Amino acid sequence: MFDESKHPRDNDGKFTSSDGAGGTHEATEAEKQRLRERGIRDGGGETKKLTPAEKIASVHIDFTKDNILPELEETSLRKMGVQESKPVLVKASTIARNGSVHQDVDPKDVDKLIGETLYAPEEVVAGKNPNKPYFAFIKKIRISEKSGKTDYGTVLLDVTADNDNFEVVHWHWVREKI
């Protein structure tokens, strides 16, 4: 949870941090980026949560490193029965494994699949394994018309309470049965 006391502001409402001598300095770009990644934007001294569209647009997976994405929408948290919101982590090791296990997902479609499915899901469904607190986020996404069928983007999310982030475990396509 965002702790305002750990993020001091100057008289104009801009984020600052202590300089150790009782004064403050303006927050670094890295500090501002961490806040943006958590789904909070500095709007001229005011903080504002990103809209789902802004969160979707912010998803740009770098296949070479861990990626921190914005926090989930409140409606998704309620569906999961989760009280505390956290940033979403996509680990580099998960990216590598997903690329080999779910080759049905073209790398150019990963941003759209993850972004739209996490931040504008049609369904949020609890996993069936009682030992793993996983939720499947599902959304109908049409990438290509060539198959004539609708594909559903599915993202599996680990919401273990002890983790600092919610962690993406898998993403893939599921075909609609006709």
Side-chain angles (χ1 to χ4, degrees):
M1 189 71 111
F2 183 76
D3 184 351
E4 185 74 35
S5 68
K6 293 181 181 177
H7 304 280
R9 299 172 191 252
D10 65 14
N11 292 335
D12 294 329
K14 293 181 181 174
F15 288 105
T16 63
S17 36
S18 175
D19 64 7
T24 60
H25 66 272
E26 189 169 330
T28 66
E29 278 307 309
E31 291 167 328
K32 290 177 185 176
Q33 179 61 28
R34 281 193 295 277
L35 290 170
R36 284 191 294 272
E37 289 169 345
R38 293 218 34 195
I40 300 170
R41 180 176 50 147
D42 184 355
E46 299 177 22
T47 55
K48 177 186 171 203
K49 290 229 180 235
L50 297 175
T51 66
E54 290 170 321
K55 290 177 182 182
I56 292 167
S58 76
V59 176
H60 301 290
I61 302 298
D62 182 333
F63 287 68
T64 65
K65 65 179 188 176
D66 290 353
N67 293 257
I68 300 289
L69 306 178
E71 294 179 1
L72 299 173
E73 291 298 298
E74 292 294 325
T75 54
S76 296
L77 296 173
R78 282 193 300 276
K79 287 178 183 179
M80 296 184 315
V82 174
Q83 302 300 316
E84 180 183 4
S85 186
K86 300 177 187 181
V88 176
L89 172 65
V90 183
K91 292 182 179 178
S93 59
T94 301
I95 294 168
R97 186 194 63 219
N98 207 82
S100 65
V101 174
H102 297 293
Q103 295 177 356
D104 58 314
V105 180
D106 188 318
K108 69 178 177 44
D109 297 332
V110 169
D111 293 349
K112 183 173 182 172
L113 190 156
I114 291 175
E116 289 197 23
T117 303
L118 283 180
Y119 300 112
E122 292 173 11
E123 297 287 335
V124 178
V125 181
K128 300 209 186 259
N129 185 339
N131 299 320
K132 294 183 179 180
Y134 287 179
F135 285 86
F137 285 64
I138 304 165
K139 178 163 184 173
K140 190 183 305 184
I141 303 172
R142 188 173 296 254
I143 298 288
S144 169
E145 300 287 335
K146 76 177 189 177
S147 72
K149 296 181 181 178
T150 302
D151 289 328
Y152 288 87
T154 303
V155 175
L156 190 62
L157 197 65
D158 178 348
V159 297
T160 301
D162 295 340
N163 292 348
D164 292 335
N165 303 289
F166 296 140
E167 295 183 13
V168 172
V169 179
H170 290 283
W171 58 90
H172 56 95
W173 296 113
V174 177
R175 288 279 157 106
E176 179 178 50
K177 292 182 180 180
I178 293 181

